Structures are given as C-alpha cells and as structure tokens.
Amino acid sequence: MLHVGRGKVSFMVFGAGEIEPVKGVLRALGNGDRKAADFTEGQDVDYDLLAGVLTRTSSKLIA
C-alpha cells in the first residue's frame, strides 16, 4: 500500500512479522505483521534496507 502526501511518502508491507522495526525508518503496525516506512522530502533513504524488506515480504506471495 502506498500513500503520497505533501512532502511525505509512506508505504506499508504485509507479511513482515519476522522483520524487526528500524527506528526512524520502519515501524510496526497492529500486531507487527504489517510494517510502514515513512519518508519526508529531503530525507536520505536506505534503498538496500527497503529492497531487503520488499524481497523478504514479496517472496511469501509466490507459491
């Protein structure tokens, strides 16, 4: 799920219960199975971290 707002982009991934939150980058939602990443304009982005999260969560979608 992706949300774009004024000066901010957020996205949520599902099936991320095994992924630890990262302060200031990746936060847990609900029971922890969902994680959200929030980025404000001008913030540095750790693309390797995000790619790893997406790889780990999307691999559960492939049967």
Side-chain angles (χ1 to χ4, degrees):
M1 180 179 296
L2 181 68
H3 176 266
V4 179
R6 179 174 287 191
K8 181 178 177 181
V9 173
S10 300
F11 73 89
M12 181 176 16
V13 293
F14 298 85
E18 298 173 2
I19 299 172
E20 291 296 319
V22 177
K23 187 175 181 172
V25 177
L26 192 65
R27 59 187 167 91
L29 299 168
N31 66 3
D33 190 51
R34 296 172 291 147
K35 300 290 189 298
D38 304 308
F39 303 99
T40 56
E41 189 172 343
Q43 179 180 351
D44 289 332
V45 177
D46 185 342
Y47 293 106
D48 291 333
L49 172 74
L50 295 178
V53 168
L54 293 174
T55 298
R56 289 176 63 189
T57 57
S58 64
S59 68
K60 296 178 183 183
L61 301 174
I62 301 170

